[in-house]
Every structure is written in C-alpha cells, then in structure tokens.
Amino acid sequence: MGHTLKRGTPPPKRPSLMLFQLLVLAGLFYFCSGIMQVTKTVKEIAVLSCDYNISTEELTEVRIYWQKDNEMVLAVMSGKVEVWPEYENRTFTDFTSNLCIVILALRLSDKGTYTCVIQKPEKGTYKLKHLTSVKLLVRADFPAPSISDLGNPSPDIRRIICSTSGGFPEPHLSWLENGEELNATYTTLAQDPETELYTISSELDFNVTRNHSFMCLVKYGDLTVSQTFNWQKSAKPAPSANQLLPWAIIIPISASLIIALILGLAWLFCRLAARQRERRRNEESLEMERLSPVCIGRVEGSG
C-alpha cells in the first residue's frame, strides 16, 4: 500500500541528495578555512603549490588555470601555456612539482589570493576536478637607516643626514635624543611609481660644543628600524690625504729655506768679520806709518 502525501508537506529528501549536499558543504568549509599562506619579500621568488599531480600524458587533456583575485595569471590548455601580460617573463608553472606556479621578482602588487583550478574532460565537457587557494603576502621591509656626516654649515654647527629606502607602507622618520623628539632641518619622502616602494631622508643640525647621542627612528606600519649617532665634543676629524699633501710639500721646502737662510747669515757674518779685521789692520798700518817719522826725528836729535 503506497504512502499518501498531505498537501503542503514537502516530499522526503532522497539519501543520495542529502549526501551530495553534505559533501558540497564540507568542500566549501575546506576551501574557505584551509587556504595556505606564503609570505615573501619584494624581489624574492614565490612558489605557490596547486597541491595536485598529473601525468605527462594528461597534460594535453586537462585544463589548468591560475588566477589571482578573479583575474587570470596563467592558463594551460592542450599542453600550451599562456601567461597574462602583467606576469609575462617572470611567471611559469612547474608540471613536475604539484603544478606549482613560480613568480619571479615579486612586486607589492603581487600580493593576494591565488586559486588553482583543474578541469578534466568527462562525457564531452570539462568538469572541475581540483580547486585550491594560496594566499600570498608580499612584504617590503626598510633596511636599517644609515647616517652620514654633511660637514659644518657654520663654525659651531654640524649637519648629519639619515636615510633608508625600499620599504612599504609610507614611513615616518623622527630624530630622538634622550627620548625627546627633535626638530629636523629638512625631510624628504619619495615613492617609486612602478614598485610603490618609499625612500625617506632627513637632515639634522646640532651644536658641536657638547656631547650628543641621536637616534634616527623610522616607523612603517607596525614595524620600526633605527640607527644611532654619537658625537664627542673633543673628537676632531682626521685630516684627509688631500689635506696632508700640502704639508708634505711645505715642510721640506720650509726646512730648506731656513737652512739656506742660516747659511746665508753665517756667510754674511763671516764676510763682515773679515772686513772688520781687514779694516783694523789697515788702521794699524796707517797708525804705524804716522808714528814712524816722529821716532826717526827723535833719534837724529839725540845724535
């Protein structure tokens, strides 16, 4: 005797349909919660796995799609690979290793969720056989800043510059001394339109008559990098080779001139002494000649 259905009562679900719905729900849960994550830095290489292997013979039959946030990246159809313009010359797939996609020279714009889709022919049409997603995070960390000496804009003032580049997001640079922020002389910030990476630099003037310990602090997002510069008031920069070169020439020349001057003065003194002795001898000779007639007269008178 067959069962009669009351009007307005839905028919009982078939076990096979209920099982199918459960499998679909389980699959959606897996794909939503089981996304793999890969973190790389700018200019590095990213390898994203499709987590699926096929034989070489199947390559001409299956269809493989890699897309990022619903935009195509790479496709393999009938064994031929097609790469979309934004990824040309830096993206390829490795058929021997889980159908990985390899992205070279990573850019900030490469970050996102990549999905691998595998389709196989079945009963005259292509049906989904595999689906997996990988989330790619691309970081751009600033290296520790460098501090350089720019010299003295005025006698008691020294100028230094702190700079760093190649990071993201937009950074903020500050100068600190004993935990207090200082006023920078001049700060510049630039962003490369192609790579989106930032470059920042800042100059600071300080008085050289006392000791200092400065910190150059760069903040970007939740991260920071820093560099310290110490100044001792007694410290003097060592003379450069160009500064020492004139003295290497002047000192020997000066010594030669001094020696020549001393020898010249000695020679002049000797000449003057010789002339003075000669003058004395001449005066003595004249005195002798003057006294000689007197002596002769006296002798004749006494005779």
Side-chain angles (χ1 to χ4, degrees), residues 155-201:
D156 290 335
I157 300 298
R158 199 81 173 183
R159 179 170 294 172
I160 55 178
I161 183 172
C162 177
S163 60
T164 185
S165 62
F168 187 92
E170 181 176 331
H172 173 75
L173 190 152
S174 56
W175 289 97
L176 302 173
E177 184 175 26
N178 299 324
E180 297 183 2
E181 186 169 354
L182 307 175
N183 293 324
T185 306
Y186 183 65
T187 300
T188 60
L189 177 66
Q191 185 180 25
D192 190 307
E194 182 178 350
T195 64
E196 303 181 41
L197 302 180
Y198 285 93
T199 297
I200 192 169
S201 65

Side-chain angles (χ1 to χ4, degrees), residues 267-279:
W267 177 82
L268 182 61
F269 178 78
C270 292
R271 289 287 297 171
L272 291 174
R275 287 183 179 181
Q276 189 173 7
R277 287 195 299 270
E278 184 178 356
R279 188 181 297 114

Side-chain angles (χ1 to χ4, degrees), residues 287-302:
E287 183 67 21
M288 290 296 295
E289 290 176 358
R290 187 175 64 81
L291 293 175
S292 294
V294 175
C295 293
I296 293 172
R298 290 179 179 178
V299 172
E300 290 179 352
S302 58

